[in-house]
Amino acid sequence: MKEFSFNTFFGFENILTEKPEIVLFGAMLLPIGLIIVMSMIGWIFRKLKLNMYLIHALLYTLAFTFFFGTFAMLILFFVTDKNGVKLAYCWMSIFIGMLFFSMINTNTISKMFKDWSEIIKN
C-alpha cells in the first residue's frame, strides 16, 4: 500500500517545486476565471427559472477564496519557505473550507447582500 506524502501533488510536484509562483497565479486567476464561467451558467439557470442555490454557493466560494485565499497565499509565500506543493495544499484547504462555509450559509449571505442593496438605494 502506498503512503500519502505531502511532497506529491497529483503529478505536478516537479513543476510546483521548481516554480512556486505558479501557485500564486493559480490562486488569483483560477477563482476569477471560474467566477466568469459560473456567472454565465447562473444566467442560464435564471433564464430557465431553475434553483440557484448551488450556483450562489459556488459563486460565494470562489469570491471568498479569491479575497481571503489570495491574501493568505501571499502571506504564506513571502513568510514561509517557498514550497509550491505545500502552498497548493494550503490553497486547496482554503477552497474546501470556503466551500463548506458557503454551502451552509448561502441563504444568509444572499439575504445580507439583498439588505445591503436596499440600504444603498435609500
Side-chain angles (χ1 to χ4, degrees):
M1 178 178 278
K2 189 173 181 179
E3 294 181 10
F4 179 76
S5 172
F6 279 107
N7 294 325
T8 62
F9 190 77
F10 306 109
F12 297 109
E13 54 273 352
N14 292 333
I15 298 169
L16 295 177
T17 304
E18 293 172 8
K19 299 177 184 175
E21 301 86 23
I22 292 174
V23 178
L24 286 179
F25 287 114
M28 292 179 199
L29 297 177
L30 187 67
I32 292 172
L34 291 176
I35 283 173
I36 293 169
V37 171
M38 291 305 299
S39 297
M40 290 180 204
I41 294 171
W43 180 77
I44 293 169
F45 271 45
R46 193 174 319 124
K47 292 296 179 184
L48 297 174
K49 298 195 184 333
L50 296 174
N51 190 355
M52 293 286 291
Y53 185 84
L54 187 62
I55 301 296
H56 283 155
L58 291 173
L59 283 172
Y60 296 147
T61 298
L62 292 168
F64 292 149
T65 302
F66 175 73
F67 291 119
F68 299 119
T70 302
F71 181 68
M73 294 305 292
L74 286 171
I75 290 173
L76 289 172
F77 184 78
F78 290 113
V79 172
T80 64
D81 60 343
K82 293 177 173 71
N83 186 342
V85 176
K86 289 179 185 176
L87 289 172
Y89 278 118
C90 289
W91 187 85
M92 278 182 50
S93 65
I94 291 168
F95 178 79
I96 291 169
M98 292 298 168
L99 179 65
F100 285 132
F101 174 80
S102 296
M103 292 294 275
I104 293 169
N105 296 312
T106 296
N107 290 334
T108 306
I109 298 167
S110 297
K111 185 179 180 316
M112 177 190 69
F113 285 133
K114 186 184 285 187
D115 291 345
W116 282 0
S117 66
E118 289 175 3
I119 291 171
I120 291 172
K121 285 181 184 177
N122 294 330

